Amino acid sequence: MKFPTLLRCFVLSGAAFVAPPAPAAAPAPKRVALVIDDGPDPRQNAALLAILARERVRVTFSHVGKNVAAHPDLAKAAAAAGHEIINHSYTHPHLKQQTDAEIEKEAADTSAAIKAATGRAPAWFWAPFLEHDARVDTAVRRATGLEHFPFHRHHFIGSLDWEATTTGEKFRALCTTGIVDGTVILLHEWPTVTLANLPAVIAELKKQGAEFVTFSQLQPSR
C-alpha cells in the first residue's frame, strides 16, 4: 500500500493522532544560605574552607571582630574564596544587656576589623545568640549603617551544633528536613559535629535541589 493510501485509511478509521506529552520542567532550585558563626577559628577553619571549595559551595561567615583581629589571614582567605563575611559583634556579648555606646563600639570595631582583613566592609549585621531588638538595631545602624539580616523573612533552621548532646544523626536530620526556597541554616565553625557531617549535609541538600547562596544573594535589597 502506498503512503497516501495508508494515511487516508488511517484518517477514515477515525483514529486521532495524540502528540507525546511534553517533558516535565525541571523543578526550580531551592536557594539555601548556610551561615557559619563565631569564626574565624583556627582549629577548623582551613578544613571547613577545603570542604566548601571541594563542593563548590559559597556560604556566609558570621565573624567575631576579636577573632578577625587575631586571625586576619583566615578572614582574608574566606573572602578570597568567594564567601561573604558579615559582622557578628566584637566580643559576642548579649547585646540587649549593653548600653547604646557599647553596642555601637561592638559593631563599629568589627566592621573595621573585617574591612582591614578582607578589604571589604560587611554588608550585614548578625547579632550574637540572634538577640536583638529595635534599640540594638538602631545602635548598630547608627554606628555602621548595617541592618540586621532579616532571617525572620526566611525559613530558618538552627542546626543545634552548639549543643554537646547533638549527634551527627540529629545534626544531619535538622539540616536537611523541610528545606524550601529561601532556607537559612545556622552552623558554627568550632563544633566537631559540624566538620564531620557537613559533607553529608551538602550532598543531601544538593540531592534535594539546593542552590547555595550567600546572605546578600538571598536578600539583595536592604
Side-chain angles (χ1 to χ4, degrees):
M1 181 182 297
K2 295 183 180 180
F3 179 76
T5 304
L6 177 61
L7 179 59
R8 186 166 54 253
C9 292
F10 180 80
V11 173
L12 292 174
S13 70
F17 175 75
V18 179
K30 301 174 183 177
R31 294 169 301 159
V32 174
L34 303 181
V35 53
I36 305 181
D37 277 14
D38 296 356
D41 189 323
R43 291 172 293 179
Q44 297 195 146
N45 182 269
L48 284 172
L49 287 178
I51 291 171
L52 296 172
R54 183 177 69 243
E55 299 294 337
R56 298 183 179 181
V57 168
R58 290 185 178 180
V59 305
T60 299
F61 279 101
S62 171
H63 276 355
V64 174
K66 67 177 183 178
N67 294 342
V68 174
H71 307 286
D73 55 321
L74 300 183
K76 183 178 181 179
H83 304 294
E84 181 166 33
I85 312 297
I86 65 170
N87 187 324
H88 195 43
S89 81
Y90 201 83
T91 64
H92 206 277
H94 292 275
L95 292 176
K96 290 183 181 180
Q97 300 174 12
Q98 301 224 313
T99 66
D100 287 5
E102 289 171 332
I103 296 168
E104 290 176 22
K105 182 172 175 57
E106 285 280 338
D109 288 355
T110 303
S111 284
I114 291 172
K115 186 172 183 179
T118 69
R120 180 178 300 178
W124 297 98
F125 186 76
W126 185 248
F129 312 105
L130 293 182
E131 295 176 355
H132 70 111
D133 54 19
R135 184 180 70 88
V136 170
D137 292 347
T138 298
V140 169
R141 191 181 305 116
R142 185 165 54 239
T144 63
L146 297 180
E147 300 291 339
H148 195 284
F149 184 79
F151 68 96
H152 59 282
R153 298 180 188 173
H154 302 278
H155 178 55
F156 178 78
I157 295 175
S159 68
L160 299 185
D161 60 353
W162 58 90
E163 294 185 355
T165 56
T166 298
T167 64
E169 181 179 7
K170 182 177 181 179
F171 174 85
R172 293 190 301 274
L174 286 170
C175 293
T176 59
T177 301
I179 304 301
V180 297
D181 182 53
T183 295
V184 173
I185 304 176
L186 174 60
L187 312 170
H188 292 77
E189 278 203 30
W190 50 268
T192 55
V193 70
T194 304
L195 184 66
N197 291 276
L198 186 56
V201 166
I202 290 173
E204 174 58 27
L205 291 175
K206 285 182 176 179
K207 188 183 299 183
Q208 295 184 29
E211 175 188 333
F212 294 94
V213 297
T214 65
F215 272 9
S216 290
Q217 290 172 320
L218 184 60
Q219 188 76 31
S221 59
R222 291 183 288 151

